[in-house]
Amino acid sequence: MSHIQFYLMVFMVTMATVLSPTVAKLTPNYYDRICPKALPIIKLAVKQAIYREPRIGASLLRLHFHDCFVNGCDGSVLLDDTPTFRAAVTKACRRDVVSCADILAIAARDSVAILGGNQYWYQVLLGRRDARTASWDAANANLPPPFFNFSQLITNFNSHGLNLKDLVVLSGGHTIGLARCTTFRDRIFNDTNIDATFAANLQKTCPRIGGDNSLAPFDSTPKKVDTAYYKGLLYKKGLLHSDQELFKGDGSQSDKLVLKYSEDSYSFAKDFGVSMIKMGNLKPLTGKKGEIRCNCRKVNYS
Protein backbone atom coordinates (compact mmCIF):
# COMPACT_ATOMS: atom_id res chain seq x y z
CA MET A 1 0.00 0.00 0.00
CA SER A 2 1.41 3.41 -0.98
CA HIS A 3 1.42 6.33 1.43
CA ILE A 4 -1.26 8.09 -0.59
CA GLN A 5 -3.48 5.00 -0.32
CA PHE A 6 -2.78 4.92 3.41
CA TYR A 7 -3.93 8.51 3.84
CA LEU A 8 -7.02 7.82 1.74
CA MET A 9 -7.81 4.89 4.01
CA VAL A 10 -7.26 6.93 7.15
CA PHE A 11 -9.42 9.73 5.79
CA MET A 12 -12.36 7.60 4.72
CA VAL A 13 -12.23 5.52 7.85
CA THR A 14 -12.35 8.80 9.71
CA MET A 15 -15.43 9.75 7.79
CA ALA A 16 -17.95 7.08 7.31
CA THR A 17 -21.40 6.43 8.87
CA VAL A 18 -24.23 8.82 8.45
CA LEU A 19 -27.86 9.21 7.52
CA SER A 20 -30.24 7.10 5.50
CA PRO A 21 -31.86 9.26 2.81
CA THR A 22 -35.62 8.93 2.65
CA VAL A 23 -36.44 11.50 -0.01
CA ALA A 24 -36.04 11.02 -3.73
CA LYS A 25 -34.51 14.39 -4.56
CA LEU A 26 -31.05 15.70 -3.78
CA THR A 27 -30.93 18.89 -1.74
CA PRO A 28 -28.10 21.03 -0.29
CA ASN A 29 -29.60 21.02 3.21
CA TYR A 30 -30.27 17.28 3.43
CA TYR A 31 -28.26 16.81 6.63
CA ASP A 32 -29.19 20.08 8.33
CA ARG A 33 -31.72 18.40 10.61
CA ILE A 34 -30.58 14.80 10.88
CA CYS A 35 -26.86 15.44 11.26
CA PRO A 36 -25.93 19.15 11.23
CA LYS A 37 -22.32 18.41 12.22
CA ALA A 38 -21.67 16.14 9.24
CA LEU A 39 -20.39 18.74 6.75
CA PRO A 40 -18.13 20.63 9.20
CA ILE A 41 -16.64 17.33 10.37
CA ILE A 42 -15.95 16.20 6.81
CA LYS A 43 -14.36 19.56 5.97
CA LEU A 44 -12.07 19.36 9.00
CA ALA A 45 -11.08 15.80 8.14
CA VAL A 46 -10.29 16.80 4.54
CA LYS A 47 -8.25 19.76 5.73
CA GLN A 48 -6.24 17.60 8.13
CA ALA A 49 -5.71 14.93 5.48
CA ILE A 50 -4.46 17.48 2.94
CA TYR A 51 -2.12 18.95 5.55
CA ARG A 52 -0.58 15.51 6.07
CA GLU A 53 -0.50 14.62 2.37
CA PRO A 54 -1.29 17.38 -0.18
CA ARG A 55 -1.99 14.84 -2.94
CA ILE A 56 -5.05 13.60 -1.08
CA GLY A 57 -7.10 16.52 -2.45
CA ALA A 58 -6.52 15.47 -6.05
CA SER A 59 -7.26 11.85 -5.15
CA LEU A 60 -10.60 12.74 -3.55
CA LEU A 61 -11.62 14.88 -6.53
CA ARG A 62 -10.80 12.08 -8.97
CA LEU A 63 -12.59 9.48 -6.85
CA HIS A 64 -15.79 11.52 -7.05
CA PHE A 65 -15.39 11.90 -10.82
CA HIS A 66 -14.80 8.17 -11.25
CA ASP A 67 -17.69 7.34 -8.93
CA CYS A 68 -20.13 9.43 -10.97
CA PHE A 69 -18.94 8.09 -14.33
CA VAL A 70 -19.38 4.46 -13.25
CA ASN A 71 -23.10 3.71 -12.87
CA GLY A 72 -23.81 7.13 -11.35
CA CYS A 73 -22.76 8.87 -8.12
CA ASP A 74 -23.53 5.98 -5.79
CA GLY A 75 -20.28 5.22 -3.96
CA SER A 76 -19.74 2.00 -5.91
CA VAL A 77 -16.19 3.03 -6.82
CA LEU A 78 -15.28 2.69 -3.13
CA LEU A 79 -16.08 -0.99 -2.95
CA ASP A 80 -13.21 -3.45 -2.45
CA ASP A 81 -10.26 -1.59 -3.84
CA THR A 82 -10.58 1.93 -2.48
CA PRO A 83 -9.95 2.93 1.15
CA THR A 84 -12.70 4.26 3.40
CA PHE A 85 -13.26 7.36 5.51
CA ARG A 86 -15.85 7.07 8.32
CA ALA A 87 -15.07 7.25 12.04
CA ALA A 88 -15.36 11.02 12.66
CA VAL A 89 -18.81 11.27 11.09
CA THR A 90 -19.93 8.19 12.99
CA LYS A 91 -19.18 9.94 16.28
CA ALA A 92 -21.56 12.77 15.41
CA CYS A 93 -24.29 10.83 13.60
CA ARG A 94 -25.90 7.43 13.58
CA ARG A 95 -24.19 4.73 11.56
CA ASP A 96 -27.00 4.71 9.01
CA VAL A 97 -27.10 8.41 8.19
CA VAL A 98 -24.43 9.80 5.84
CA SER A 99 -23.73 7.80 2.69
CA CYS A 100 -20.26 7.09 1.32
CA ALA A 101 -21.37 8.68 -1.96
CA ASP A 102 -22.25 11.92 -0.18
CA ILE A 103 -19.04 11.91 1.86
CA LEU A 104 -17.09 11.64 -1.38
CA ALA A 105 -19.05 14.45 -3.05
CA ILE A 106 -18.52 16.74 -0.05
CA ALA A 107 -14.84 15.80 0.29
CA ALA A 108 -14.22 16.57 -3.40
CA ARG A 109 -15.80 20.03 -3.04
CA ASP A 110 -13.89 20.77 0.16
CA SER A 111 -10.61 19.66 -1.43
CA VAL A 112 -11.08 22.08 -4.31
CA ALA A 113 -12.00 24.97 -1.99
CA ILE A 114 -9.11 24.29 0.39
CA LEU A 115 -6.56 24.11 -2.43
CA GLY A 116 -8.02 26.93 -4.51
CA GLY A 117 -9.69 29.35 -2.16
CA ASN A 118 -13.28 30.34 -1.42
CA GLN A 119 -14.06 31.22 -5.04
CA TYR A 120 -13.94 27.49 -5.77
CA TRP A 121 -16.54 26.61 -3.12
CA TYR A 122 -19.86 25.41 -4.49
CA GLN A 123 -23.01 24.03 -2.89
CA VAL A 124 -23.18 20.24 -3.01
CA LEU A 125 -26.55 18.57 -3.43
CA LEU A 126 -26.96 15.70 -0.96
CA GLY A 127 -29.16 12.73 -0.14
CA ARG A 128 -27.47 9.96 -2.16
CA ARG A 129 -27.51 6.35 -1.08
CA ASP A 130 -24.79 3.79 -1.72
CA ALA A 131 -24.83 1.02 -4.31
CA ARG A 132 -24.82 -2.62 -3.22
CA THR A 133 -22.62 -3.65 -6.13
CA ALA A 134 -19.60 -2.46 -8.11
CA SER A 135 -18.86 -3.19 -11.74
CA TRP A 136 -15.34 -3.41 -13.16
CA ASP A 137 -16.83 -3.82 -16.64
CA ALA A 138 -18.73 -0.57 -16.21
CA ALA A 139 -15.60 1.17 -14.96
CA ASN A 140 -13.63 0.11 -18.01
CA ALA A 141 -16.45 1.04 -20.38
CA ASN A 142 -17.39 4.42 -18.90
CA LEU A 143 -14.19 6.09 -17.76
CA PRO A 144 -12.48 8.12 -20.51
CA PRO A 145 -8.89 6.83 -20.88
CA PRO A 146 -5.93 9.22 -21.31
CA PHE A 147 -5.44 8.30 -24.98
CA PHE A 148 -8.92 9.36 -26.14
CA ASN A 149 -9.11 11.88 -28.96
CA PHE A 150 -11.48 14.84 -28.93
CA SER A 151 -14.42 13.15 -30.64
CA GLN A 152 -14.15 10.17 -28.30
CA LEU A 153 -14.11 12.47 -25.28
CA ILE A 154 -17.21 14.29 -26.51
CA THR A 155 -19.02 11.01 -27.15
CA ASN A 156 -18.10 9.74 -23.70
CA PHE A 157 -19.29 12.89 -21.91
CA ASN A 158 -22.46 13.09 -23.99
CA SER A 159 -23.30 9.53 -22.97
CA HIS A 160 -23.45 10.81 -19.39
CA GLY A 161 -25.58 13.82 -20.24
CA LEU A 162 -22.62 16.19 -20.18
CA ASN A 163 -21.68 18.61 -22.96
CA LEU A 164 -18.59 20.23 -24.47
CA LYS A 165 -18.42 22.91 -21.80
CA ASP A 166 -18.63 20.28 -19.06
CA LEU A 167 -15.79 18.36 -20.74
CA VAL A 168 -13.48 21.37 -20.82
CA VAL A 169 -14.43 22.55 -17.33
CA LEU A 170 -14.24 19.18 -15.58
CA SER A 171 -10.95 18.39 -17.30
CA GLY A 172 -9.72 21.39 -15.33
CA GLY A 173 -9.75 19.07 -12.33
CA HIS A 174 -6.29 18.20 -13.58
CA THR A 175 -5.22 21.51 -12.06
CA ILE A 176 -4.10 19.41 -9.08
CA GLY A 177 -2.34 16.11 -8.73
CA LEU A 178 0.07 13.84 -10.54
CA ALA A 179 -0.14 11.14 -13.20
CA ARG A 180 1.79 7.91 -13.69
CA CYS A 181 4.25 7.48 -16.54
CA THR A 182 2.06 4.79 -18.10
CA THR A 183 -0.67 7.35 -18.77
CA PHE A 184 1.50 9.81 -20.71
CA ARG A 185 4.41 7.75 -22.11
CA ASP A 186 2.86 7.36 -25.54
CA ARG A 187 2.18 11.10 -25.74
CA ILE A 188 5.71 12.25 -24.91
CA PHE A 189 7.28 9.88 -27.44
CA ASN A 190 4.73 9.85 -30.26
CA ASP A 191 2.53 12.96 -30.23
CA THR A 192 3.40 15.89 -32.44
CA ASN A 193 1.12 18.40 -30.69
CA ILE A 194 3.55 18.76 -27.79
CA ASP A 195 6.29 21.19 -26.77
CA ALA A 196 9.64 19.52 -27.57
CA THR A 197 11.42 20.66 -24.39
CA PHE A 198 8.44 19.66 -22.25
CA ALA A 199 8.48 16.17 -23.81
CA ALA A 200 12.25 15.79 -23.47
CA ASN A 201 12.16 16.64 -19.76
CA LEU A 202 9.42 14.11 -19.13
CA GLN A 203 11.32 11.42 -21.05
CA LYS A 204 14.12 11.64 -18.48
CA THR A 205 11.91 10.12 -15.78
CA CYS A 206 9.50 8.27 -18.06
CA PRO A 207 11.62 6.33 -20.60
CA ARG A 208 10.25 4.07 -23.30
CA ILE A 209 10.93 1.05 -21.09
CA GLY A 210 10.75 1.11 -17.29
CA GLY A 211 9.76 3.85 -14.87
CA ASP A 212 6.08 2.94 -15.06
CA ASN A 213 5.39 4.36 -11.61
CA SER A 214 7.26 7.62 -12.14
CA LEU A 215 4.99 10.59 -11.53
CA ALA A 216 4.62 13.94 -13.23
CA PRO A 217 2.34 16.92 -12.40
CA PHE A 218 -0.59 17.77 -14.64
CA ASP A 219 0.46 21.40 -14.60
CA SER A 220 3.05 23.73 -13.08
CA THR A 221 1.16 24.13 -9.78
CA PRO A 222 0.03 20.60 -8.82
CA LYS A 223 -0.85 21.53 -5.22
CA LYS A 224 -3.00 24.52 -6.10
CA VAL A 225 -6.36 24.82 -7.81
CA ASP A 226 -5.89 27.56 -10.40
CA THR A 227 -5.83 28.07 -14.18
CA ALA A 228 -2.25 26.90 -14.84
CA TYR A 229 -3.66 23.72 -16.41
CA TYR A 230 -5.30 25.74 -19.19
CA LYS A 231 -2.29 27.99 -19.65
CA GLY A 232 -0.17 24.89 -20.21
CA LEU A 233 -2.49 23.69 -22.98
CA LEU A 234 -1.92 26.95 -24.88
CA TYR A 235 1.78 26.05 -25.09
CA LYS A 236 1.27 22.37 -25.95
CA LYS A 237 2.17 21.28 -22.43
CA GLY A 238 -0.86 19.12 -21.68
CA LEU A 239 0.42 16.05 -19.81
CA LEU A 240 -2.09 13.57 -21.22
CA HIS A 241 -3.04 13.15 -24.86
CA SER A 242 -6.66 13.71 -23.80
CA ASP A 243 -5.69 16.97 -22.09
CA GLN A 244 -4.07 18.48 -25.18
CA GLU A 245 -7.01 17.39 -27.35
CA LEU A 246 -8.95 20.25 -25.73
CA PHE A 247 -6.73 22.84 -27.40
CA LYS A 248 -5.41 22.49 -30.93
CA GLY A 249 -5.12 26.13 -31.93
CA ASP A 250 -7.78 25.85 -34.63
CA GLY A 251 -10.22 28.34 -33.16
CA SER A 252 -12.78 25.71 -32.17
CA GLN A 253 -15.28 26.21 -29.35
CA SER A 254 -13.09 24.03 -27.16
CA ASP A 255 -10.11 26.28 -27.94
CA LYS A 256 -12.16 29.34 -26.99
CA LEU A 257 -13.15 27.83 -23.64
CA VAL A 258 -9.55 26.87 -22.83
CA LEU A 259 -8.41 30.39 -23.67
CA LYS A 260 -11.20 31.90 -21.59
CA TYR A 261 -10.38 29.84 -18.50
CA SER A 262 -6.64 30.44 -18.89
CA GLU A 263 -7.32 34.18 -18.54
CA ASP A 264 -10.28 34.26 -16.15
CA SER A 265 -10.02 32.30 -12.90
CA TYR A 266 -13.40 33.60 -11.72
CA SER A 267 -15.19 32.15 -14.77
CA PHE A 268 -13.40 28.84 -14.31
CA ALA A 269 -14.31 28.65 -10.62
CA LYS A 270 -17.97 29.50 -11.30
CA ASP A 271 -18.35 27.10 -14.22
CA PHE A 272 -16.43 24.34 -12.44
CA GLY A 273 -18.93 24.40 -9.59
CA VAL A 274 -21.87 24.28 -12.00
CA SER A 275 -20.44 21.29 -13.89
CA MET A 276 -19.50 19.48 -10.67
CA ILE A 277 -23.08 19.83 -9.41
CA LYS A 278 -24.36 18.60 -12.77
CA MET A 279 -22.01 15.61 -12.68
CA GLY A 280 -22.99 14.91 -9.09
CA ASN A 281 -26.58 14.44 -10.25
CA LEU A 282 -25.72 11.50 -12.51
CA LYS A 283 -28.10 8.70 -11.60
CA PRO A 284 -27.92 8.96 -7.80
CA LEU A 285 -29.65 6.37 -5.68
CA THR A 286 -32.27 7.97 -3.42
CA GLY A 287 -35.28 7.05 -1.34
CA LYS A 288 -35.16 3.36 -0.49
CA LYS A 289 -32.77 2.37 -3.26
CA GLY A 290 -29.37 1.06 -2.28
CA GLU A 291 -28.18 1.41 1.31
CA ILE A 292 -26.12 3.55 3.67
CA ARG A 293 -22.90 1.59 3.80
CA CYS A 294 -21.30 1.24 7.24
CA ASN A 295 -17.97 0.39 5.63
CA CYS A 296 -17.31 2.14 2.33
CA ARG A 297 -15.21 -0.76 1.11
CA LYS A 298 -17.99 -3.33 1.21
CA VAL A 299 -21.74 -3.74 1.22
CA ASN A 300 -23.62 -4.17 4.47
CA TYR A 301 -24.47 -7.64 5.61
CA SER A 302 -28.15 -8.43 5.74
Side-chain angles (χ1 to χ4, degrees):
M1 178 185 295
S2 68
H3 71 289
I4 190 71
Q5 289 175 316
F6 171 76
Y7 283 121
L8 275 171
M9 178 178 293
V10 170
F11 178 73
M12 279 280 276
V13 167
T14 308
M15 285 311 349
T17 315
V18 204
L19 322 104
S20 56
T22 55
V23 296
K25 186 176 181 180
L26 301 184
T27 170
N29 57 1
Y30 184 82
Y31 295 116
D32 286 0
R33 182 179 59 82
I34 48 181
C35 186
K37 294 181 179 180
L39 271 67
I41 287 174
I42 293 171
K43 181 179 180 179
L44 177 61
V46 172
K47 193 170 185 178
Q48 292 173 337
I50 290 176
Y51 177 79
R52 290 191 298 267
E53 170 51 75
R55 286 173 54 200
I56 199 77
S59 297
L60 290 169
L61 178 58
R62 295 212 223 307
L63 277 176
H64 181 47
F65 179 89
H66 288 188
D67 184 32
C68 292
F69 265 59
V70 181
N71 295 328
C73 309
D74 59 8
S76 60
V77 73
L78 299 178
L79 286 173
D80 292 333
D81 64 321
T82 308
T84 55
F85 305 88
R86 260 197 164 332
V89 177
T90 304
K91 292 180 181 179
C93 313
R94 299 197 323 266
R95 286 173 59 87
D96 62 344
V97 177
V98 181
S99 67
C100 298
D102 273 351
I103 289 176
L104 193 50
I106 297 165
R109 186 274 311 278
D110 289 344
S111 295
V112 171
I114 290 168
L115 293 172
N118 290 335
Q119 69 174 331
Y120 288 98
W121 189 92
Y122 57 90
Q123 196 169 49
V124 179
L125 299 181
L126 303 166
R128 301 169 186 80
R129 289 173 67 87
D130 299 318
R132 294 192 175 98
T133 60
S135 171
W136 285 109
D137 289 339
N140 292 330
N142 291 309
L143 291 176
F147 55 79
F148 261 14
N149 62 33
F150 183 76
S151 63
Q152 290 172 314
L153 290 169
I154 284 292
T155 298
N156 180 277
F157 270 65
N158 286 347
S159 71
H160 295 290
L162 302 172
N163 58 30
L164 168 62
K165 187 175 183 180
D166 297 318
L167 166 62
V168 177
V169 172
L170 293 175
S171 293
H174 283 174
T175 177
I176 49 175
L178 310 171
R180 292 177 67 232
C181 168
T182 52
T183 64
F184 59 83
R185 176 184 282 129
D186 189 63
R187 167 161 167 73
I188 63 176
F189 283 102
N190 299 317
D191 278 11
T192 56
N193 190 23
I194 187 170
D195 178 84
T197 302
F198 176 69
N201 287 333
L202 288 169
Q203 290 168 9
K204 294 175 183 177
T205 55
C206 181
R208 290 184 184 275
I209 299 176
D212 287 2
N213 292 321
S214 295
L215 301 173
F218 283 106
D219 69 10
S220 58
T221 57
K223 296 180 182 179
K224 183 180 179 181
V225 174
D226 56 19
T227 59
Y229 167 78
Y230 296 107
K231 290 182 175 71
L233 298 183
L234 301 181
Y235 297 96
K236 301 181 180 180
K237 294 182 179 180
L239 183 62
L240 307 182
H241 178 81
S242 56
D243 288 329
Q244 196 59 55
E245 285 291 288
L246 303 181
F247 187 85
K248 297 181 179 179
D250 57 8
S252 66
Q253 184 60 32
S254 180
D255 274 16
K256 292 176 182 177
L257 286 169
V258 169
L259 184 60
K260 173 185 177 182
Y261 296 138
S262 73
E263 298 174 339
D264 188 347
S265 61
Y266 175 78
S267 290
F268 171 53
K270 178 174 66 69
D271 291 348
F272 186 78
V274 171
S275 288
M276 285 293 288
I277 292 170
K278 185 177 179 181
M279 183 186 74
N281 274 323
L282 295 179
K283 299 184 289 186
L285 298 177
T286 58
K288 295 182 182 295
K289 296 178 181 178
E291 64 186 15
I292 303 300
R293 210 173 302 138
C294 295
N295 182 336
C296 294
R297 299 188 71 180
K298 57 186 180 181
V299 299
N300 297 334
Y301 294 105
S302 57

